[in-house]
Amino acid sequence: MSSRRMTTIAGSLVAASFSTVMILSATASADDEGPGSSKGGKAVDEAPAGVKLTTLLPEEISVDNGSQETTMTATVKNEGTEDSGKIRLWVVGFDGMTVKNVQGCSPIAEGDLPEGSNSGYTCPLDNLAAGDSKSYDVAATYDLNKTGKICLPVQNSDGSKTFWQQGPVPFGTTNPSPDAPATPLLLGTDNTPVAPGGDDELPKTGPGRDVLPLGAAGAALITVGAAGLWWSQLRPRQRES
């Protein structure tokens, strides 16, 4: 077999392998970060020296058109040179996206949710070593007649500082497929409802978007370019046991 043909076959196998990984990313094991994107993410409060925390979400998810169910993997990473110490990851749903479960994490009490969100889970970590990552399997539902967004803040253990926040970033499609078994949604895309009767004025991302209130704490909000909305600080929460 010629070297050119061998190269072509090898390239095809690599492409097929990559596609398989993308499909399976939503069910990745807890410590397998899998492919993902930090789109819509930004550092907020200054992290401890040598600590650099970020998050990843899949570039694409798929929503079952019958059950409205979807799954994904949310990953927190420490790209710094020092251990993180105690931190927590929040996984919070907005609008059409409702977070139903995050493996190994606890539901956030309704009164503690950021204003405007409909659901959320808190995932405490005693430590994230330098260069390590931790991934969580997320189960959610998505009402395709609405926009849907998700937010991943990474905070210190009591929530008084937010070292990184991804979102609220939308998943959506501009080409809905109501007659198909499932609808693929892309990260960073505003959703177009699959049928008439959705919101007349859909929320938009980007510089012109209205900021979301954060509730009783009255924390300040800022809007940062095309990356979307950032919370400078979520409400301090009671220290986790």
Side-chain angles (χ1 to χ4, degrees):
M1 185 179 296
S2 70
S3 60
R4 177 175 296 179
R5 179 170 176 77
M6 289 289 290
T7 300
T8 301
I9 293 173
S12 299
L13 290 175
V14 169
S17 175
F18 179 76
S19 299
T20 301
V21 170
M22 287 294 290
I23 293 170
L24 295 178
S25 66
T27 56
S29 61
D31 290 304
D32 176 15
E33 74 179 53
S37 170
S38 60
K39 182 182 294 184
K42 181 177 177 61
V44 185
D45 295 319
E46 186 176 359
V51 176
K52 183 181 179 183
L53 297 165
T54 60
T55 56
L56 297 173
L57 286 166
E59 287 276 9
E60 181 177 329
I61 62 174
S62 181
V63 176
D64 185 289
N65 285 339
S67 67
Q68 298 187 338
E69 294 177 350
T70 186
T71 58
M72 70 190 77
T73 300
T75 300
V76 57
K77 299 176 64 178
N78 181 3
E79 298 178 337
T81 58
E82 301 292 336
D83 291 1
S84 69
K86 289 187 176 182
I87 58 172
R88 70 185 190 187
L89 170 71
W90 275 22
V91 182
V92 184
F94 289 82
D95 301 334
M97 179 171 283
T98 302
V99 179
K100 293 296 187 179
N101 187 56
V102 181
Q103 187 176 19
C105 304
S106 302
I108 300 171
E110 184 176 351
D112 290 334
L113 287 169
E115 190 168 337
S117 66
N118 57 43
S119 55
Y121 280 72
T122 178
C123 308
L125 280 168
D126 287 336
N127 185 59
L128 192 60
D132 279 1
S133 64
K134 177 73 173 178
S135 292
Y136 298 89
D137 294 331
V138 179
T141 58
Y142 195 115
D143 182 349
L144 292 168
N145 287 317
K146 302 178 181 178
T147 57
K149 293 174 283 297
I150 192 168
C151 188
L152 303 182
V154 183
Q155 305 172 315
N156 59 352
S157 60
D158 67 0
S160 60
K161 291 186 177 181
T162 300
F163 301 130
W164 168 269
Q165 182 169 302
Q166 185 173 8
V169 61
F171 275 101
T173 178
T174 57
N175 184 26
S177 50
D179 297 327
T183 297
L185 304 181
L186 298 177
L187 184 66
T189 302
D190 279 316
N191 190 50
T192 299
V194 298
D199 296 336
D200 292 334
E201 186 176 349
L202 297 177
K204 301 296 182 182
T205 57
R209 177 177 173 172
D210 293 336
V211 296
L212 293 175
L214 288 183
L221 296 176
I222 52 176
T223 304
V224 182
L229 173 68
W230 313 111
W231 296 325
S232 60
Q233 181 174 318
L234 296 178
R235 291 179 299 175
R237 309 287 182 244
Q238 295 181 347
R239 293 185 177 271
E240 299 168 13
S241 57

